[in-house]
């Protein structure tokens, strides 16, 4: 009797000799006017609820149990929401706030109003692009350590690329944010803690659609509490060490501590410091890990692109390990990462809540309506990207740039991700260092399924084999 409630996702993947349409959910073809079916489908996979005409240049609206939902898939309208009228649409959706508040408290990612205005310049200064060179060596050394560890394995060894990349980026962000080695055990604890946390958080806050404008609090089950406790325990110790004067003078957290000493009005107590440290850590670690994981999948399925990447690394670096200074010359590596971010944006849905009545395009927006900007849709809209479902890194070569507000893997406007340059540089450099020494292979018959929870990951991770070059 429960068979009709079981949900699956139909995955499309097409491969030719020199073309690749990488894994993505097929169009939704369910009968309209069935909100329960749509919610059940969204809870299983938010990427599988979109119909073919959703991938077009438009602004549309619908109601779900009385709640207005506005789907914004037009660059001009996106600019209106995230820039022109951002103050009316700055508030994250109740779903996102409720999903992350237990883990991040009032951290920058989900805060708004005075808290956001006060802390945004602070965090932006800490992860500003001008500070990236200070962390270049950390990225180089940590990636090289991974290559050395892989060298100790047998050729053809099997690993899960998602967990390997999560461990790598956790260590990089730990050394940058915390100023010391996190260590394999703690890095794994944070990685496993967040993986568990994502799996336990519902994709839909039913209370919001039933009339509760703030949504309903997440049920803090013992298993969820254990996941958060593992993460908080590690980050709390680091923050307390810094407050006790045992921190690295160049770390991001130490900068937060010093800023608080100079500006007591910031009110960055231990809890607030932990929240911001956790936000920087989770955002910086998780999104880059997902991006690199998807890049290995795409290169494995598109060896002609991989060959161009290898030839570029040889041409730019020779036998030397790629460094931060090489990044501007690694154009193919950058293009692969940017195309990966287009096809698999780490946060594929940007949800906002309207504060006041407004008008987006031709749509009248009511207060407390849910505004959805969906990079997953936007980046796959043919009006903005020719052959939108194909993996074509060359679309980012030779100075080519997408239409403004059609490509927003790091969001846009005042709430653009402050760590954009840090994450982009890290992804390019890690890709180059690893690709110089290894080919990462996904099994030919492997079924790869994108899954949207809080971030966009391959469902179950990405089993691969490692092959020395």
């Amino acid at each position: 009797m429960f068979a009709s409630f079981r949900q699956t996702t139909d995955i499309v993947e097409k491969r030719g000799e020199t073309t690749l349409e990488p894994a993505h959910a097929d169009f939704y073809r369910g009968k309209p006017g069935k909100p329960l079916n749509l919610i059940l489908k969204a809870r299983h996979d938010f990427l599988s609820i979109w119909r073919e005409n959703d991938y077009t240049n438009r602004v549309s609206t619908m109601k779900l149990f009385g709640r207005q939902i506005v789907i914004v898939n037009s660059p001009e309208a996106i600019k209106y929401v995230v820039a022109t009228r951002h103050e009316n649409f700055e508030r994250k959706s109740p779903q996102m706030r409720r999903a992350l508040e237990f883990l991040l408290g009032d951290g920058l990612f989900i805060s708004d109003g005075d808290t956001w205005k006060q802390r945004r310049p602070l965090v932006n200064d800490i992860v500003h692009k001008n500070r990236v060179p200070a962390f270049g060596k950390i990225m180089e050394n940590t990636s090289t350590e991974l290559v050395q560890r892989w060298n100790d394995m047998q050729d053809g060894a099997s690993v899960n690329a998602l967990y390997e990349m999560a461990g790598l980026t956790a260590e990089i962000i730990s050394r940058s944010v915390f100023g010391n080695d996190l260590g394999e055990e703690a890095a794994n604890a944070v990685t496993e803690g967040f993986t568990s946390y994502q799996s336990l958080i519902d994709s839909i806050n039913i209370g919001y659609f039933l009339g509760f404008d703030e949504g309903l609090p997440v049920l803090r089950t013992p298993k969820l509490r254990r996941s958060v406790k593992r993460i908080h325990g590690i980050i709390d110790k680091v923050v307390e060490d810094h407050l006790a004067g045992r921190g690295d003078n160049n770390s991001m957290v130490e900068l937060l501590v010093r800023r608080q000493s100079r500006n007591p009005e910031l009110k960055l107590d231990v809890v607030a410091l932990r929240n911001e440290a956790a936000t920087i850590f989770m955002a910086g670690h998780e999104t880059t890990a997902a991006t690199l994981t998807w890049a290995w999948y795409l290169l494995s399925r598109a060896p002609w692109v991989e060959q161009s990447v290898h030839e570029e690394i040889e041409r730019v670096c020779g036998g030397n390990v790629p460094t931060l200074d090489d990044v501007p010359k690694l154009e193919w590596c950058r293009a692969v990462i940017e195309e990966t971010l287009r096809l698999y944006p780490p946060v594929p849905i940007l949800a906002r809540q309207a504060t006041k009545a407004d008008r987006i395009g031709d749509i009248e927006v009511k207060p407390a309506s849910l505004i959805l900007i969906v990079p997953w849709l936007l980046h796959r809209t043919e009006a903005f990207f020719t052959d939108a479902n194909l993996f074509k890194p060359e679309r980012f070569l030779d100075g080519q740039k997408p239409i403004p507000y059609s490509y927003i893997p790091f969001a846009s406007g005042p709430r653009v991700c402050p760590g954009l340059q840090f994450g982009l540089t890290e992804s390019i450099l890690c890709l180059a260092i690893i690709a110089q020494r290894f080919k990462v292979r996904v099994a030919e018959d492997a079924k790869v399924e994108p899954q949207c929870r809080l971030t966009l990951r391959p469902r179950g991770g990405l089993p691969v084999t490692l092959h020395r070059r």
Side-chain angles (χ1 to χ4, degrees):
M1 65 180 288
F2 296 107
S4 62
F5 291 99
R6 297 195 191 106
Q7 298 293 324
T8 58
T9 300
D10 294 324
I11 297 297
V12 175
E13 182 188 71
K14 298 177 183 177
R15 286 179 271 171
E17 285 192 16
T18 56
T19 59
L20 171 65
E21 182 176 340
H24 62 92
D26 201 357
F27 301 128
Y28 180 59
R29 296 183 176 85
K31 292 181 180 179
K34 302 248 183 211
L36 181 58
N37 288 352
L38 196 66
I39 281 182
L40 290 172
K41 191 76 170 173
R43 290 185 71 187
H44 173 73
D45 178 17
F46 220 111
L47 305 180
S48 64
I49 64 171
W50 307 108
R51 299 180 186 275
E52 186 171 4
N53 63 353
D54 289 321
Y55 293 83
T56 55
N57 181 4
R58 67 174 190 158
V59 180
S60 58
T61 187
M62 63 178 289
K63 278 192 174 182
L64 199 57
F65 296 134
R67 178 72 61 184
Q68 184 186 24
I69 302 174
V70 181
I71 302 161
V72 186
N73 201 55
S74 160
E76 287 185 5
I78 289 171
K79 180 182 179 181
Y80 180 81
V81 172
V82 303
T84 307
R85 288 280 290 153
H86 72 92
E87 289 189 355
N88 195 37
F89 301 108
E90 73 160 351
R91 191 164 172 77
K92 292 291 179 79
S93 70
Q95 162 59 29
M96 186 60 74
R97 282 184 277 119
R98 291 298 193 183
L100 287 170
E101 64 186 356
F102 188 24
L103 180 64
L104 303 181
D106 63 353
L108 189 70
F109 186 76
I110 56 174
S111 64
D112 51 50
D114 290 341
T115 300
W116 182 84
K117 289 176 183 176
Q118 192 178 59
R119 295 187 191 172
R120 169 68 191 219
L122 171 65
V123 175
N124 188 59
D125 182 48
I126 289 168
V127 294
H128 192 269
K129 63 182 180 181
N130 292 338
R131 287 191 53 77
V132 170
F135 305 119
K137 267 297 174 194
I138 293 173
M139 298 174 186
E140 295 166 20
N141 293 340
T142 312
S143 299
T144 301
E145 289 168 15
L146 175 71
V147 167
Q148 291 169 347
R149 181 166 62 80
W150 282 7
N151 267 326
D152 291 336
M153 300 179 183
Q154 287 187 334
D155 196 57
S158 298
V159 299
N160 191 313
L162 178 61
Y163 302 151
E164 292 288 312
M165 294 303 101
L168 169 64
T169 58
E171 193 62 62
I172 288 174
I173 207 74
S174 298
R175 294 174 182 180
S176 303
V177 174
F178 303 149
N180 51 37
D181 291 1
L182 189 63
E184 187 174 353
E185 184 178 345
N188 289 339
V190 173
T191 300
E192 291 165 7
F194 191 56
T195 298
S196 173
Y197 188 87
Q198 287 209 71
S199 70
L200 295 167
I201 290 294
D202 202 332
S203 299
I204 300 290
N205 193 305
I206 299 294
Y208 179 59
F209 297 101
L210 294 178
F212 295 88
D213 284 348
E214 295 302 313
L216 291 174
V218 169
L219 181 62
R220 299 184 177 184
T221 63
K223 193 171 183 181
L224 189 69
R225 289 178 182 277
R226 285 195 296 272
S227 298
V228 172
K229 186 177 180 181
R230 294 178 78 182
I231 298 169
H232 282 183
I234 293 165
I235 296 176
D236 282 351
K237 183 179 185 304
V238 170
V239 172
E240 287 165 6
D241 282 348
H242 280 286
L243 290 173
R246 296 189 291 274
D248 185 307
N249 288 332
N250 292 317
S251 76
M252 294 182 190
V253 171
E254 184 63 22
L255 289 172
L256 280 172
V257 172
R258 293 208 301 269
R259 185 67 64 87
Q260 168 60 28
S261 298
R262 294 198 304 271
N263 305 99
E265 69 275 9
L266 290 174
K267 298 178 182 178
L268 287 172
D269 58 14
V270 175
V271 174
L273 282 168
R274 195 267 308 283
N275 290 343
E276 294 309 332
T279 298
I280 294 170
F281 181 92
M282 300 313 302
H285 137 68
E286 168 65 19
T287 55
T288 308
T291 300
L292 285 167
T293 301
W294 286 115
W296 297 125
Y297 159 66
L298 292 166
L299 290 176
S300 176
R301 290 287 197 253
W304 60 92
V305 175
E306 183 184 55
Q307 182 177 349
S308 294
V309 167
H310 290 159
E311 289 172 353
E312 175 180 79
I313 296 170
E314 175 65 26
R315 183 172 63 254
V316 172
C317 307
N320 299 321
V321 176
T323 68
L324 188 68
D325 292 337
D326 296 320
V327 168
K329 295 171 280 187
L330 294 170
E331 296 176 0
W332 266 100
C333 291
R334 175 181 291 274
V336 165
I337 292 300
E338 291 186 326
E339 178 74 340
T340 301
L341 287 164
R342 183 185 72 83
L343 289 165
Y344 299 106
V347 182
I349 297 173
L350 305 174
R352 300 287 188 268
Q353 187 176 18
T355 303
K356 300 177 182 177
D358 212 314
R359 184 182 179 88
I360 304 175
D362 295 329
I363 304 296
E364 297 292 340
V365 179
K366 297 177 181 179
S369 292
L370 180 64
I371 312 301
L372 293 181
I373 298 172
V374 187
W376 176 266
L377 293 179
L378 184 71
H379 294 176
R380 293 170 179 269
T381 296
E382 197 73 21
F384 315 135
F385 297 96
T386 305
D387 298 326
N389 278 322
L390 297 188
F391 175 53
K392 298 177 69 174
E394 57 268 28
R395 71 174 89 239
F396 288 98
L397 293 175
D398 302 321
Q400 296 181 80
K401 294 184 178 180
I403 297 167
Y405 295 96
S406 70
Y407 177 73
I408 52 171
F410 297 97
S412 192
R415 294 200 73 129
V416 68
C417 174
L420 187 160
Q421 287 301 325
F422 184 97
L424 191 59
T425 302
E426 178 187 12
S427 298
I428 295 166
L429 189 53
C430 290
L431 180 78
I433 290 172
I434 296 171
Q436 184 185 50
R437 300 301 178 193
F438 283 91
K439 290 184 177 182
V440 179
R441 287 288 173 265
V442 179
E444 287 294 314
D445 59 351
K447 180 182 178 183
V448 176
E449 181 179 340
Q451 180 185 30
C452 173
R453 300 294 295 178
L454 297 173
T455 56
L456 178 56
R457 293 173 158 198
R459 190 183 295 274
L462 186 71
V464 298
T465 52
L466 308 176
H467 304 272
R468 294 184 187 86
R469 294 188 59 227

